[in-house]
Structure formats: C-alpha cells, structure tokens
Amino acid sequence: DARVTQTPRHKVTEMGQEVTMRCQPILGHNTVFWYRQTMMQGLELLAYFRNRAPLDDSGMPKDRFSAEMPDATLATLKIQPSEPRDSAVYFCASGLGDSQETQYFGPGTRLLVL
Amino acid sequence: ILNVEQSPQSLHVQEGDSTNFTCSFPSSNFYALHWYRWETAKSPEALFVMTLNGDEKKKGRISATLNTKEGYSYLYIKGSQPEDSATYLCAPLGGKLIFGQGTELSVKP
C-alpha cells in the first residue's frame, strides 16, 4: 500500500532552533508539494517541486524557510531560525504530473515552537 | 490569486439525510478543481479532480458537479452516514492550488 511518509510526526523545539522536516513521496511520483495548516490560514501551499526542480515557492517565507529535493525519494523543508508563529501542521503531498492530478497527502508533521 | 469560498462553514445533519455544499471560485484562469475529504487528526484524502465545465463525478454516495462558467462546484452526499463526518475541502487550480476553508460536516447517528 503505497503512501507518503513524513518524519518526524511531532516536533517540539525552542525559538531560534533549526527544524528539518522530511518527506518520502510515493515511489514513481514526480511532483511534491509542501503545505502548512494553521487555524487562521487553513491549508496553504508553501512549495511545489516537479522532477526535483522547485516550480513555485512563493508561499514560503524566504528568509527562514528552505525546501529541497536531494533526490527523487526525499524532500526536505527546513526552518532556520524557527519562531513561535511557525507552529503548525506541515503536510507533504506527492502526485504524478502537475497540480491537475490527484495529490496524495502524508500524515503531517505537527510542529510546536516554544 | 484565486479567492475560494466554501459554504456553509459547518453542517450538522442526521444519519440518512442527504446534503450538499458549495465551492465558489473566480471563473477566469481556471484549470481544474480538486475536492478533498479531511477527517480530524488525519491527512486530506482526494475525492475528485474535475476539469471540464459540466463535469459530474461520483464515488459511492458522494458526487460532485462543476460549472466553470459561473465559478462553482457542488458536492452532494446521499444518505449521510456518521463515517462521512469530516471537513470537505475544495481547491481550484488557477496557476497554483488554493484551498478553501472547508465545510465541516457532522453526521449524527
């Protein structure tokens, strides 16, 4: 049963610390999306990769957030330095093709920055 | 940027009731519309991807229609069951995917 995996599932850290979240897309999927869920904004797109190349990261605060795909089986989202307002659930999703295709979501990483 | 509105924000129905909710979006610059089902403490699960005006899709008791000219999509649930309780998100694609705030459905046995 293929599924998107994310690690860690939960992370509690202190303000100023670096946070790295990892995502393993479904094998064979060539698009990867990072979303953030907050009470105020709902589900917002942070970044979008196709064939490991970043296509859109306009939703991501550039000064502290970075997203990469070191290889086809791993996507990372890094926050440095983290701030309390970054506390949210971060979802990764993968798919075939582009945004017109179904996206399969991972279980999310619940981040709390104290 | 697409402005997406979903209504109602929440809905409480009895088991067996049929229900429907609406997703409204600007009709210009439209490529596709996604519907997702999101249960509490789980991750969003894809229901439908719709691209053509007049599209109708069905999955079990759940169906959806799309009107791209007037900018809306309806999601219908026939004979609601408690396991249908979830938040239903729509996400039109116009450049990039923008999620609505969702309709939270609660089905009481």
Side-chain angles (χ1 to χ4, degrees), chain B residues 13-109:
Chain B
V13 301
Q14 289 294 133
E15 182 176 355
D17 287 350
S18 292
T19 186
N20 67 85
F21 14 97
T22 307
C23 172
S24 300
F25 52 89
S27 54
S28 59
N29 196 29
F30 172 87
Y31 295 110
L33 182 96
H34 294 232
W35 276 103
Y36 285 86
R37 181 173 175 276
W38 196 357
E39 285 184 70
T40 303
K42 294 188 178 180
S43 42
E45 176 189 346
L47 287 173
F48 307 112
V49 179
M50 310 173 79
T51 55
L52 299 175
N53 184 45
D55 251 355
E56 287 189 34
K57 297 233 173 164
K58 189 174 181 182
K59 188 175 183 178
R61 293 178 292 98
I62 304 176
S63 59
T65 61
L66 178 66
N67 183 322
T68 60
K69 292 184 179 179
E70 296 181 39
Y72 64 84
S73 176
Y74 292 142
L75 189 80
Y76 301 91
I77 302 179
K78 184 178 177 182
S80 304
Q81 299 296 308
E83 58 264 30
D84 296 328
S85 298
T87 296
Y88 291 83
L89 297 171
C90 75
L93 172 66
K96 64 180 177 182
L97 211 59
I98 305 291
F99 280 86
Q101 292 291 330
T103 292
E104 187 178 348
L105 175 66
S106 173
V107 183
K108 292 185 179 178

Side-chain angles (χ1 to χ4, degrees), chain A residues 4-110:
Chain A
V4 176
T5 57
Q6 289 186 247
T7 57
R9 294 290 306 276
H10 303 272
K11 176 74 177 178
V12 180
T13 190
E14 292 185 342
M15 183 173 66
Q17 296 298 305
E18 178 180 297
V19 175
T20 298
M21 290 169 271
R22 293 177 175 81
C23 167
Q24 183 172 4
I26 292 173
L27 191 64
H29 282 189
N30 65 340
T31 54
V32 172
F33 305 83
W34 281 105
Y35 292 93
R36 176 169 62 181
Q37 178 205 4
T38 62
M39 292 296 291
M40 296 301 294
Q41 298 291 334
L43 201 59
E44 54 176 337
L45 179 67
L46 296 175
Y48 162 33
F49 290 78
R50 186 192 301 166
N51 296 324
R52 296 177 55 200
L55 289 193
D56 184 352
D57 60 2
S58 58
M60 202 165 65
K62 299 290 191 304
D63 55 339
R64 300 181 298 108
F65 283 60
S66 61
E68 295 178 346
M69 279 200 75
D71 61 61
T73 63
L74 177 66
T76 62
L77 180 66
K78 190 176 293 186
I79 308 174
Q80 168 64 21
S82 58
E83 297 181 2
R85 60 182 167 148
D86 301 328
S87 299
V89 182
Y90 291 81
F91 287 99
C92 171
S94 73
L96 285 168
D98 56 28
S99 292
Q100 292 192 43
E101 300 297 324
T102 297
Q103 298 179 23
Y104 297 85
F105 281 75
T109 293
R110 187 174 295 274

